[in-house]
Amino acid sequence: MKKIISILVLFVCIAANAQDKAKTQTVEAACGQCQFGMTSKSGCDLAVRIDGKPYFVDGTDINKHGDAHATDGFCSAVRKAEVVGEIKMTVS
């Protein structure tokens, strides 16, 4: 009986840890203003498009990923990116 309880507790712990891991997903990434037509901010800001809806990205800057205005930069092209995070609503 103790072996069964120990195994059950182990499975519960594994299941709980699996739910805590963030999911990596592939999304479209580009300049929100230049490529996705976002107007709530001025200038050029990194954004991702998930399920057809664009979201600005916090935690990094568009220029930290190369020249945004190069021919393959975020202002000129929509690129694929692997991301981990969550969508949060902010009040501005």
Side-chain angles (χ1 to χ4, degrees):
M1 185 67 168
K2 286 184 179 183
K3 290 180 184 179
I4 293 173
I5 292 172
S6 296
I7 292 172
L8 180 60
V9 170
L10 177 63
F11 284 129
V12 170
C13 289
I14 291 171
N17 285 337
Q19 291 176 351
D20 290 341
K21 290 186 180 179
K23 178 182 168 189
T24 300
Q25 59 182 317
T26 302
V27 300
E28 295 177 307
C31 174
Q33 292 85 346
C34 296
Q35 294 295 320
F36 296 152
M38 301 172 78
T39 59
S40 61
K41 289 184 176 182
S42 62
C44 294
D45 295 285
L46 186 60
V48 295
R49 189 161 45 199
I50 301 171
D51 296 328
K53 185 169 180 177
Y55 302 93
F56 285 113
V57 174
D58 287 332
T60 189
D61 182 79
I62 194 167
N63 295 311
K64 288 186 179 179
H65 304 280
D67 180 0
H69 295 102
T71 56
D72 63 345
F74 285 124
C75 291
S76 303
V78 177
R79 298 163 62 186
K80 297 288 183 187
E82 288 188 2
V83 298
V84 176
E86 60 185 318
I87 299 171
K88 292 184 177 180
M89 298 302 292
T90 58
V91 178
S92 47

